[in-house]
Amino acid sequence: TASLQAWSVEEAALVREFRVGNFAAIAQFVSAIVAASERLNHHPDVDIRYPDRVTVRLTTHAIRGLSTLDVQLAEEISNLAG
């Protein structure tokens, strides 16, 4: 889908770096990711880098690859980022 165009596939995971403005915005963005993750019961790896970068990595460990949950959460995170 269009919301996944900025994501790449690396080692059986969807990966995307977001630039969110500043460190306070990082906290808000990650909090929104956590809420979406809890709703789907699917949890990404999140890497925070000062001053404004967040990298999200999605994979389904149980199958050692990508699942529909990874795609759903990637779409939600893309929407959160605007």
Side-chain angles (χ1 to χ4, degrees), residues 6-17 55-59 64-66:
W7 292 79
S8 61
V9 177
E10 300 174 11
E11 299 176 11
L14 287 171
V15 179
R16 182 172 173 190
E17 180 180 277
T55 302
V56 178
R57 181 178 182 84
L58 295 161
T59 191
R64 296 186 180 143
L66 295 171

Side-chain angles (χ1 to χ4, degrees), residues 24-62:
I26 286 174
Q28 292 174 336
F29 183 53
V30 171
S31 179
I33 291 172
V34 168
S37 300
E38 287 296 309
R39 275 194 312 278
L40 291 175
N41 193 30
H42 193 64
H43 303 92
D45 292 328
V46 178
D47 182 45
I48 297 168
R49 298 293 167 166
Y50 179 84
D52 66 351
R53 289 182 296 140
V54 176
T55 302
V56 178
R57 181 178 182 84
L58 295 161
T59 191
T60 301
H61 299 286

